[in-house]
Amino acid sequence: MRTALMAKTRTALMRTLSTRSALGAAGLAMMVLGGVLLWGQATHWDVLIWLAGAVVLHDGLIAPLVLGVGLLLGGLKNRGLPRGALLTAGCLVLIALPLLLRPLPTANSSVLPLNYVRGLLICLAAVAALAGMIGAVRWGRGKVNNRKFNGG
């Protein structure tokens, strides 16, 4: 019985390792291909500088900010709702960032004609309002449930 369980465990482990190895090899091959294609471009130094800036921005600003917010939310009893709202807001900002950082004077006024800052702020306000309403409903349900159990 024990040897059969050990054989199943060993087989599952080997299957997992072979899958990881295959995915790792495919990822490494894609990285090499990307590097070769990048090196053939005339602007490869610009891309490398941009990638280095992305690493510095992530490690210097985004990761400490996320960790700090996580520490602040760690003491909350129901922290799933604020986490979801913050994650949604972060995704909205990342999606809108290219539109917000576009060069302002454009030759064609119809290229990016909308006020994207206002649109992003409206979306963030909607996320905050929806999270607030869901939180209020959950808080109200908790009060009703507590009254039922306490004989109120």
Side-chain angles (χ1 to χ4, degrees), residues 43-76:
T43 61
H44 61 277
W45 291 113
D46 293 338
V47 173
L48 290 176
I49 291 170
W50 184 85
L51 287 173
V55 169
V56 169
L57 179 68
H58 176 269
D59 291 349
L61 180 69
I62 296 173
L65 184 64
V66 168
L67 287 173
V69 170
L71 287 173
L72 290 174
L73 293 177
L76 292 178

Side-chain angles (χ1 to χ4, degrees), residues 96 98-104 106 108-116:
L99 299 171
L100 298 175
L101 298 178
R102 73 185 191 278
L104 291 178
T106 58
N108 185 353
S109 62
S110 67
V111 172
L112 296 171
L114 302 176
N115 186 349
Y116 295 103

Side-chain angles (χ1 to χ4, degrees), residues 84-101:
L86 288 172
L87 182 65
T88 303
C91 290
L92 284 171
V93 169
L94 286 177
I95 290 169
L97 204 56
L99 299 171
L100 298 175
L101 298 178

